[in-house]
Structure formats: structure tokens, C-alpha cells
Amino acid sequence: MESRVDNYSPEQGGSKGELQWGACLKDLEGTLNPQSFSSWFLPLQYCSDENDILTLAAPNKFHIEFIEYNYWKTLAPIIEKYFPANRKVQFIINRNLQPQAPKIETEAADSPVHSPSLSLKKVMTEDYYSTFNSRYTFEEFVEGPHNQFAKVAASSVSENPGRSYNPLFIYGGTGLGKTHLLQAIGNRVRVRDPYSRVMYVSVDTFMRDFIDAIKNNSKNDFSMLYRQADILLVDDVQFLRLREGTQEQFFHIFNDLLQRDKQIVITSDRPPKELEGLEERLVSRFLSGLMVDVQAPDLESRIAILQHKILTENLDIPYEVVEFVAQNINSNIRELEGALTTLLARSSLSHTDISLGLAKSVLMDIKGVKRNRIISIDTVQNVVTRYYKVSPHEIIGKGRRKEVAQARQVMMYLCRNLCDASLKTIGLRLGGRDHTTIMYGVREIGKRCREDNGFKKEIDLITQQIEFEGD
Ligand code: ADP
Ligand code: MG
């Protein structure tokens, strides 16, 4: 077979730079196996050699990243040898170059390591690996009892990828900050190392790309791309379905990364066990790391989140309005932000100040009906004690009898969900218990509701009764 290195041979003429590049190729050909050499180096094109910078063109971004990751230690000393005056190498993309069908073996990984003083000018990395929303940082993430564990775990992972909790699985309802946390990890890691291979992908995109890859016969490129990540952030894994091998592919990528101590963080709207249509082995992989949940924020946290926004965006909104919005939008943080945005828009369009009256009318539009029925802790206590046949004295006391303990936790859970009381307030009403005890109780009941349908029906029944009596 005629070597394409001959394109750069003296017989073909060519500039001094082209000849030097030809010499590099000859050396590479002698170093690498023929398959790798023709897949990765023959498609490269010498462009120029000016101002300390050697510029080479490659067919696509993937090609550049692949060389950089797998062959840089082989390539750098050879370039140094033939381009001694150069200090940097830069790759550009020339889509007219024909990539060879890439083969995945990379013998270069084991080749003797030189420590090349030549630096690679990384012009491509940024748009190749994910860019993150600059608003989604840990600094902008307001902490409260509802998301504290998740924030601590995410932040620990970003400080110590692959070596703290792996995989980290964050779950919780919509609009509660999962994507924010995931991107905060990406942002933090980027600050520490601008060139780290952090990949963010939503499962939607993952599946779409995978199907494209099958169509284009580039399944190997696809999985190589993900396997090169140092940190893989996967958003909304609940959408992963048994479809055309996506799960299979995902599992292998996942396993491969974990085996090499690469960090994986996953978000989902439900815990792993409740993911439908997922293979057992994938679920147990998810379970092998740390799971943390984000819950709906309590009133204090909702106020804190609004105030944080007001402060960072320098808005002028009276406290009573903040309180009113926080009291009335209790589903999720996205809606809370939405209400604030609508309020600001309405005020500026109608040239009126932001007042309680304006807030009321905006919220009425958003929510359709006015919801200001307030359920008191007393009502919850009355119904719960009656239902479980325990006395008010017992429920706030220290007794550990099974029925009493259960009634107590149910009361914690319902006070939290229906009365919108803070953990602290509930604790005080329950005989001065600590807020962590309340948080534990709320979580336990939430968990049982998810796991045990019969129990959930029981809770729904009590809830209906409370709502009836609360009127
Ligand atoms: P999810 O991915 O869980 O559906 P997001 O991460 O998209 O939710 O969050 C929805 C919106 O709420 C985003 O604009 C996000 O910045 C904001 N948000 C969520 N949690 C917090 C928080 N603790 N502090 C400040 N903003 C938050
Ligand atoms: Mg999200």
C-alpha cells in the first residue's frame, strides 16, 4: 500500500513546513500501529507554521479531541523534534478532510511517557465540551433544609470528582433545583480547571444523538465521546427508555467511566427504584453510589430565595409583597421565579409600583383562583390524633409506642405539607423537638408513601379529612 505520507515527501515539492510535517508523519508511522496511524494522523493536514504556532487541520472536533486525549504524549515530542522553534500547536477544523473510520484501540496510552514541554493550544475544547449556564452556580443556590444534603453532596463532588460520592444521584420534583445543582458542579469544576472534560447531557439529547449515531454508522465515535469525559453530568434520567439499545449503550459508558474513577452525577424526578422500564443492572448501578433528594422549599426558604434574587438583581420590592408571593406559590422554585418575573413585567408595563395589590392581581391570574385557606397545626393534630386513636398529650410526649410514633411522624409530614409551617415551628408544637427530628419524620413518611400504596391511601384519607375540617 502506498503511504499517504508521500504527499509530504521531497519529491512532491512542498514548503519547508510541509516537509517537516511529512517527517513527523514518518516517525508516527513507525511508532503507532498502522490502523491508528491511518485513522488519526493521515487525515490531518499541515496548514502553517508561524509566530511560534504550528497549525494543523482535522476533519472534526471529535478527531481533535481524540488525538489530544489519546495521542498527545506521542505526538508532542515528535513535533518538538521537527519543529523546534514552535511552542504551540493549534488545531483547526477543515470539514473537507476525510476522516478515516476510527478504530478504537489506542496503544499510545501505554507508550513511554515523555513530558512534553510543548503546549497544546486548546482552541476547541470550550465549545466542544459543555458550556454551563453562568447563573447556575453554588453561590446562586440558596440553601435550606429542603436541599441542604443535595447541595453539600454536589459541592463535595465538584471539589473532589471521582473520589467522594460516585455516582451521585439527585432526585426530586420538577423545578426544585436539580439542573441548577448539576450545572453548578460543571461551573465549579471549570473554574478550577478550564480544560477539564466535563460533559453535561440531558437524557433526551443522549438518546437523540445515539439514534443519529446508529443512522450514520458512528456508534463507536458516539461512545468514545462520552467515555472521554472526566465528569459526566446526566440530566433527567427518568426519560431513559428501552429504545434501540440506548440503555445498553448508557450502561456500558457508565460502567466504563466508573471503573476508571470518572465522576458521574445523575438527576431524576424520582428515586432509582421507581424508574420505569429500566434494566435492573442499571438501577443497581445507580444505587451503588449516594442518593440525595431535593424537596419542596418551606416558607422561609421560599422567602430567602426570592430575597436573594431581589438582592442580586437589585430590585425594589417591599417585604410584604415578597412574603405574599412566597406564601401563595408553594409548588416549586421555577414558578416562584416566574411569579416574580411576571410581577416585574406587569409593574413596568403598567407604570405602577410593585405593591401588595398588584401582587394579588398577578397571582390571581397565575393561579386562576385565589387560594388563601389556611390549615392550622391544630386542625392537623385533631384529625391525626382522632384517626390513630392517640391523645394530644401522647403525640407531643416522648412515648415510643408504635401507634404513637407513627401518628407523630404523620403529623410532622402533614403539618409540613398542608400548613406550610417551618420545621422549627412544627418541632416546637411537637413538644420542643429539634428540626432535624422533624425533617427525618417528614422524609420517612414521604418515603413510605412512595413505597407502600396502602399507606399512601391512608395518608390521602387523613388529608381529605383535614381539608374538610380546615374550611
Ligand atoms: P429542576 O431541574 O429540578 O426541574 P431547576 O434546576 O431547573 O429545577 O430550577 C428551576 C429554577 O429555580 C432555576 O431557575 C433555578 O435557578 C431556580 N432554583 C432552584 N433551586 C434554587 C435555589 N435553592 N436557590 C436559588 N434558585 C433556585
Ligand atoms: Mg431540570
Side-chain angles (χ1 to χ4, degrees):
M1 188 183 77
E2 198 195 331
S3 169
R4 270 176 54 194
V5 176
D6 292 344
N7 286 349
Y8 293 103
S9 69
E11 295 82 62
Q12 296 284 317
S15 67
K16 179 162 170 268
E18 282 171 339
L19 294 179
Q20 284 165 288
W21 177 240
C24 289
L25 287 178
K26 277 259 189 272
D27 270 23
L28 286 163
E29 195 176 24
T31 316
L32 303 172
N33 78 30
Q35 184 66 59
S36 308
F37 175 71
S38 62
S39 296
W40 301 107
F41 291 95
L42 275 184
L44 297 182
Q45 185 186 42
Y46 166 87
C47 299
S48 65
D49 169 26
E50 286 161 2
N51 306 329
D52 285 3
I53 300 177
L54 167 65
T55 305
L56 300 169
N60 53 46
K61 289 188 213 169
F62 171 66
H63 201 108
I64 298 170
E65 291 289 340
F66 197 90
I67 291 183
E68 186 197 322
Y69 190 60
N70 294 297
Y71 293 108
W72 179 241
K73 284 173 181 161
T74 311
L75 180 60
I78 293 176
I79 291 180
E80 273 186 321
K81 181 168 145 198
Y82 293 103
F83 292 89
N86 260 293
R87 295 223 318 278
K88 288 200 166 96
V89 179
Q90 146 179 300
F91 285 103
I92 59 169
I93 292 174
N94 176 350
R95 301 214 180 265
N96 295 324
L97 295 174
Q98 276 305 308
Q100 309 270 315
K103 279 281 179 297
I104 301 304
E105 71 266 34
T106 55
E107 79 281 16
D110 310 321
S111 66
V113 175
H114 305 259
S115 48
S117 55
L118 192 66
S119 74
L120 183 64
K121 194 167 176 242
K122 306 202 184 195
V123 281
M124 303 316 308
T125 20
E126 249 148 69
D127 60 353
Y128 188 60
Y129 284 102
S130 318
T131 46
F132 297 99
N133 185 329
S134 59
R135 202 169 65 77
Y136 290 166
T137 59
F138 286 115
E139 290 72 25
E140 295 295 314
F141 192 82
V142 179
E143 193 178 316
H146 62 291
N147 60 20
Q148 212 168 347
F149 293 141
K151 184 181 178 183
V152 169
S155 146
S156 153
V157 157
S158 70
E159 298 296 335
N160 228 340
R163 284 191 297 274
S164 55
Y165 311 111
N166 203 13
L168 174 64
F169 192 102
I170 304 173
Y171 69 95
T174 176
L176 297 182
K178 300 182 298 297
T179 299
H180 189 136
L181 276 179
L182 207 56
Q183 298 239 343
I185 295 175
N187 274 318
R188 173 71 60 82
V189 170
R190 272 287 152 71
V191 168
R192 291 159 52 99
D193 176 5
Y195 299 122
S196 59
R197 296 155 187 281
V198 193
M199 282 181 80
Y200 168 91
V201 68
S202 77
V203 160
D204 269 353
T205 315
F206 180 87
M207 292 198 300
R208 212 179 36 236
D209 287 357
F210 179 65
I211 290 161
D212 281 353
I214 293 176
K215 279 195 209 130
N216 306 330
N217 249 329
S218 54
K219 239 166 88 180
N220 282 344
D221 292 11
F222 174 82
S223 85
M224 262 331 283
L225 180 71
Y226 286 98
R227 283 175 200 214
Q228 288 184 13
D230 294 320
I231 302 179
L232 180 61
L233 308 169
V234 185
D235 211 357
D236 288 326
V237 82
Q238 73 271 13
F239 295 125
L240 189 64
R241 291 270 184 274
L242 274 170
R243 236 202 286 162
E244 305 192 44
T246 21
Q247 271 199 49
E248 178 81 15
Q249 198 72 18
F250 188 71
F251 180 76
H252 288 307
I253 292 170
F254 199 80
N255 251 349
D256 179 63
L257 290 173
L258 286 181
Q259 264 159 22
R260 292 185 288 118
D261 283 335
K262 305 295 184 186
Q263 180 70 49
I264 297 179
V265 187
I266 300 159
T267 71
S268 160
D269 70 355
R270 64 201 83 170
K273 279 210 181 308
E274 286 171 30
L275 289 166
E276 284 152 27
L278 278 207
E279 289 176 40
E280 198 47 45
R281 57 177 182 164
L282 196 51
V283 172
S284 66
R285 257 319 201 173
F286 290 161
L287 291 169
S288 67
L290 178 72
M291 272 187 293
V292 285
D293 64 345
V294 284
Q295 300 191 344
D298 58 15
L299 180 62
E300 286 144 52
S301 302
R302 295 200 297 275
I303 292 179
I305 289 168
L306 286 177
Q307 284 191 311
H308 179 83
K309 302 235 172 278
I310 289 166
L311 202 72
T312 48
E313 288 171 37
N314 214 355
L315 306 171
D316 186 15
I317 301 181
Y319 184 76
E320 56 174 5
V321 171
V322 173
E323 205 173 22
F324 178 77
V325 172
Q327 257 160 2
N328 284 280
I329 306 259
N330 50 17
S331 44
N332 73 52
I333 299 164
R334 190 174 297 128
E335 283 183 14
L336 201 59
E337 286 182 341
L340 191 65
T341 312
T342 315
L343 192 58
L344 289 168
R346 188 75 68 83
S347 136
S348 102
L349 289 175
S350 62
H351 305 287
T352 43
D353 283 346
I354 295 182
S355 64
L356 200 53
L358 186 71
K360 277 183 182 159
S361 94
V362 165
L363 253 61
M364 237 150 72
D365 290 352
I366 292 179
K367 291 167 73 93
V369 281
K370 203 164 158 191
R371 176 189 171 282
N372 60 12
R373 213 187 63 215
I374 291 168
I375 291 170
S376 70
I377 293 185
D378 285 336
T379 309
V380 175
Q381 179 167 336
N382 288 342
V383 176
V384 170
T385 48
R386 205 169 347 120
Y387 185 89
Y388 286 104
K389 302 191 177 58
V390 301
S391 72
H393 185 70
E394 278 177 308
I395 208 168
I396 62 174
K398 298 254 180 288
R400 289 170 184 274
R401 190 158 62 85
K402 197 165 154 250
E403 289 83 331
V404 177
Q406 164 152 333
R408 197 178 287 135
Q409 287 196 332
V410 168
M411 177 166 157
M412 296 173 187
Y413 178 77
L414 292 174
C415 285
R416 179 77 166 144
N417 286 340
L418 303 177
C419 313
D420 210 39
S422 72
L423 295 168
K424 206 167 148 195
T425 308
I426 303 171
L428 286 175
R429 291 294 306 268
L430 273 164
R433 289 183 153 80
D434 190 67
H435 77 277
T436 53
T437 311
I438 309 301
M439 183 153 64
Y440 177 78
V442 173
R443 276 170 203 256
E444 278 302 289
I445 298 297
K447 196 163 139 239
R448 262 190 79 187
C449 282
R450 285 193 300 271
E451 287 167 357
D452 178 351
N453 233 333
F455 182 72
K456 182 167 185 319
K457 290 220 174 78
E458 189 174 314
I459 297 294
D460 287 347
L461 200 71
I462 304 173
T463 305
Q464 275 170 22
Q465 187 62 30
I466 292 170
E467 281 179 334
F468 178 70
E469 296 198 12
D471 270 334

